[in-house]
Amino acid sequence: MRPGTGTLLPRSLIVPALLGLAFLVVPLIALIARVQWETFWGDITSPEAAQALGLSLGTGLAATGLCVLLGVPLALLIARSSPRIAAVLRALVTVPLVLPPMVGGVALLFLYGRRGWVGGLLAEAGIALPFTTTAVVMAQTFVALPFLVLAVEGSLRATGTDLEQVAAGLGARRWAILRRVTLPLAAPGLIAGVVLSFARAIGEFGATALFAGNAPGVTQTMPLAIYTAFNGAGVTQGTAVALSLLLLVAALAVLLLVRGWRGETPRRGVPG
């Protein structure tokens, strides 16, 4: 092969590369093959499945909104801090990404449980967070927030501060600069972060199971309903497979949306 006309990787790497691809794709094909298409609509519209689906969508949207409310200011703080402080903050934000979800659930339970630092104070006021729908939202936010923060922070760092400095030099106030310059420039990262956060929220399992429990109609989201079905309770296994397919389709849709947005959004320049 002539130089510059193709890859220079050794051909012997093709076999392990294809094996790696098969290791990721074949299980998904096996899942699709197990779907009972003749009963698919009935499976996903059964009362138990509809309950889990509705709860997942509702709590996922609430968690995503909370991620935006908390994550955008945090991303702005990281992006506009000194390199040393930004590195520390970024590392702290990344921890939930590498932390086993079960550990996150235990941490939330120790903080907001009846004997926790915050939970004890809330218990005195008659407020209980664990094993409630609110706990589901909190667990989903805990695992999804880093996706939004890192996406927005990366977008902010890429745009720099030149236009903000120009706006400040023209007399614009800080909130006006944020609203009319900073956030529009960070829009691609914000959209990607919102989509990724929502996908992570509706797919959350471990932290939700420990902190919120698995009560049908209250805390049993789609992942928990799927897990319960394969342990012989709750929805049927046919319904569990149908819900698994819905989560797979949602994940693929998220990837396509993020890729399409980033690929089609033109790079902004200095306005004339």
Side-chain angles (χ1 to χ4, degrees):
M1 184 176 294
R2 293 177 311 204
T5 60
T7 180
L8 298 178
L9 290 175
R11 288 189 175 90
S12 57
L13 292 179
I14 295 177
V15 172
L18 292 177
L19 287 175
L21 182 62
F23 185 81
L24 297 174
V25 173
V26 173
L28 302 180
I29 296 175
L31 167 65
I32 296 173
R34 288 295 300 271
V35 176
Q36 300 173 9
W37 296 106
E38 63 277 5
T39 61
F40 178 79
W41 182 249
D43 287 336
I44 63 174
T45 56
S46 65
E48 297 85 357
Q51 218 172 39
L53 178 60
L55 183 64
S56 289
L57 294 177
T59 56
L61 288 172
T64 303
L66 195 55
C67 285
V68 173
L69 183 64
L70 302 176
V72 172
L74 180 53
L76 286 164
L77 177 63
I78 297 174
R80 299 302 182 248
S81 295
S82 65
R84 182 173 299 180
I85 295 177
V88 173
L89 293 175
R90 196 178 300 115
L92 293 174
V93 169
T94 307
V95 168
L97 292 179
V98 298
L99 194 70
M102 290 290 186
V103 177
V106 171
L108 290 171
L109 194 59
F110 283 167
L111 179 61
Y112 296 106
R114 287 187 174 274
R115 297 183 180 179
W117 295 345
V118 177
L121 297 175
L122 293 175
E124 293 178 0
I127 301 173
L129 290 179
F131 311 110
T132 63
T133 304
T134 301
V136 177
V137 176
M138 294 175 67
Q140 291 175 336
T141 303
F142 179 80
V143 299
L145 183 59
F147 288 89
L148 186 134
V149 173
L150 295 177
V152 175
E153 189 259 338
S155 184
L156 288 168
R157 281 192 294 111
T159 59
T161 60
D162 291 345
L163 294 180
E164 294 175 353
Q165 296 295 336
V166 171
L170 293 175
R173 297 188 176 184
R174 294 188 177 186
W175 280 106
I177 294 172
L178 175 66
R179 187 177 65 255
R180 303 186 65 178
V181 179
T182 307
L183 292 181
L185 289 176
L190 179 59
I191 297 297
V194 166
V195 174
L196 290 172
S197 296
F198 178 72
R200 181 65 184 90
I202 64 173
E204 163 52 28
F205 171 78
T208 304
L210 280 176
F211 182 51
N214 189 18
V218 180
T219 63
Q220 189 179 82
T221 56
M222 283 197 292
L224 287 166
I226 294 168
Y227 175 79
T228 303
F230 281 95
N231 281 277
V235 301
T236 64
Q237 288 196 10
T239 300
V241 172
L243 290 175
S244 299
L245 180 62
L246 285 181
L247 287 176
L248 173 60
V249 171
L252 292 174
V254 165
L255 292 175
L256 292 175
L257 283 172
V258 173
R259 181 180 178 86
W261 177 268
R262 288 179 173 175
E264 295 175 9
T265 301
R267 185 178 299 273
R268 294 177 181 265
V270 178

